[in-house]
Amino acid sequence: MSIPTVKLNSGYDMPVVGYGTWPLKGRRATDAVLAAIGSGYRLIDTAAAYDNEEAVGAAVRECGLPREELFVTTKLRGADQGLGSTRRGLEGSLERLGLDYVDLYLIHWPMPAVGRFAESYAEMADLQREGLIRSLGVSNFLPEHIETVTTETGIRPALDQLQVSPSHSRPELVADVQRDGIVVQAWSPLERNTGVLDHPFVTAIAQRLGVTGAQVVLRWLLQRDITVVPHSGDPGRQRANADLFGFELTAQDMAAVADLDTGAPVKQDPATWEEF
Ligand SMILES: NC(=O)c1ccc[n+]([C@@H]2O[C@H](COP(=O)([O-])OP(=O)(O)OC[C@H]3O[C@@H](n4cnc5c(N)ncnc54)[C@H](OP(=O)(O)O)[C@@H]3O)[C@@H](O)[C@H]2O)c1
């Protein structure tokens, strides 16, 4: 199975579907990443905060593919934000991953009250110039946070990883971020299987198209030009979650899934959420 790519504003190509590794750790994480790579995933999403970078790095070495065929994303944890500590944060991640560079480095949360995300991003720009990071990105950033880092460095992030799913479709936020040529990547796209995959609107479309509810939801995101990093510990579900390119949702299907938006704010509000 071959997963299409999107070109980032850094010039690098990124697969539109990646494998999310939270909450796996240790050998289970290594085996799950190996299975995902075996199913065709080339983008692996990890984070310093997930405590599984060593396990992901082991899979990257064991899978037998050349490094340049894989796209590894990791994230700067809150505790490492700041001048000097951002460099140490990335160096620690590279050491645990056993890699010379990461394809994409994200600031995990902006934590605006801490006031260090802009200087962290500026230090990431230095690390990019040194070749340790290919593309600069952010996660859970609102447009005002993106504006701040872009003004600070003159480098617009390539990507913003945001919580987006049918219950939280966030159309205005997604449009604002995409308008500036920044790729949106959805985390928890399947809402951790808490009900949306079995909603009658979703299962009706799934039955008609002969796919699963998860495939409907992921395809709905892709057709909004939102890239995705679903997680599954199960090799069969991993494979199905990446098999999204042999069917299409109609405009009516797109509207039916969009109708599932609860309108409720996300629990982890990027304006206030802190995670160290
Ligand atoms: N940037 C951030 O702040 C942030 C925050 C959270 C997550 N993330 C990233 O985003 C990734 C994905 O998010 P997530 O793990 O929170 O949630 P998710 O991908 O929405 O859901 C994962 C859950 O859904 C189940 N699942 C997966 N495929 C399924 C299918 N086809 N049918 C039924 N159930 C299915 C999985 O169970 P099984 O394992 O049993 O299949 C797992 O419990 C994470 O792994 C992480 O890499 C980033």
Side-chain angles (χ1 to χ4, degrees):
M1 183 166 29
S2 172
I3 297 174
T5 57
V6 60
K7 196 165 284 300
L8 302 177
N9 66 13
S10 54
Y12 288 101
D13 294 320
M14 184 194 79
V16 297
V17 182
Y19 179 63
T21 63
W22 182 85
L24 296 178
K25 292 186 183 162
R27 190 65 221 180
R28 276 191 66 215
T30 303
D31 288 342
V33 173
L34 283 170
I37 293 171
S39 294
Y41 289 84
R42 292 294 176 265
L43 189 174
I44 312 299
D45 181 78
T46 179
Y50 299 170
D51 195 18
N52 66 12
E53 290 175 311
E54 281 171 350
V56 168
V60 167
R61 279 187 299 285
E62 288 176 30
C63 76
L65 289 178
R67 167 68 182 94
E68 56 278 12
E69 286 189 24
L70 295 170
F71 188 105
V72 179
T73 302
T74 193
K75 313 185 189 83
L76 177 71
R77 64 189 310 154
D80 287 334
Q81 282 196 22
L83 284 180
S85 48
T86 297
R87 176 178 292 274
R88 286 194 294 280
L90 175 68
E91 286 171 350
S93 285
L94 289 174
E95 199 177 318
R96 288 186 291 277
L97 286 161
L99 298 177
D100 301 332
Y101 70 92
V102 286
D103 294 275
L104 179 64
Y105 197 49
L106 310 180
I107 298 179
H108 208 144
W109 286 91
M111 308 201 307
V114 173
R116 296 205 192 106
F117 71 82
E119 64 197 49
S120 304
Y121 190 83
E123 192 152 280
M124 282 164 54
D126 290 340
L127 295 161
Q128 183 187 38
R129 282 186 281 273
E130 293 169 30
L132 303 183
I133 301 171
R134 289 210 159 159
S135 301
L136 299 183
V138 293
S139 180
N140 303 300
F141 271 41
L142 300 175
E144 63 260 33
H145 309 134
I146 292 176
E147 209 40 57
T148 303
V149 296
T150 305
T151 307
E152 179 92 3
T153 60
I155 307 174
R156 203 170 282 289
L159 177 142
D160 192 0
Q161 189 179 99
L162 293 166
Q163 183 183 358
V164 192
S165 67
S167 299
H168 298 289
S169 61
R170 307 177 95 180
E172 294 85 15
L173 174 61
V174 168
D176 277 350
V177 174
Q178 289 179 334
R179 197 172 304 119
D180 287 328
I182 297 169
V183 170
V184 172
Q185 188 173 60
W187 63 258
S188 292
L190 305 173
E191 304 184 6
R192 298 185 181 161
N193 194 19
T194 48
V196 77
L197 307 183
D198 302 315
H199 190 284
F201 286 9
V202 172
T203 53
I205 299 168
Q207 273 167 20
R208 196 189 80 239
L209 295 173
V211 297
T212 67
Q215 286 172 309
V216 169
V217 167
L218 294 170
R219 180 74 204 185
W220 175 77
L221 288 160
L222 291 180
Q223 286 185 216
R224 294 175 62 201
D225 290 329
I226 297 172
T227 67
V228 292
V229 286
H231 166 75
S232 175
D234 173 78
R237 286 193 286 277
Q238 281 180 359
R239 210 171 309 117
N241 291 348
D243 186 7
L244 305 172
F245 306 98
F247 65 99
E248 206 169 332
L249 304 194
T250 63
Q252 208 177 352
D253 297 335
M254 292 296 292
V257 180
D259 265 352
L260 301 180
D261 194 351
T262 60
V266 292
K267 277 202 198 116
Q268 292 166 282
D269 177 0
T272 51
W273 185 262
E274 295 191 347
E275 213 175 88
F276 294 88

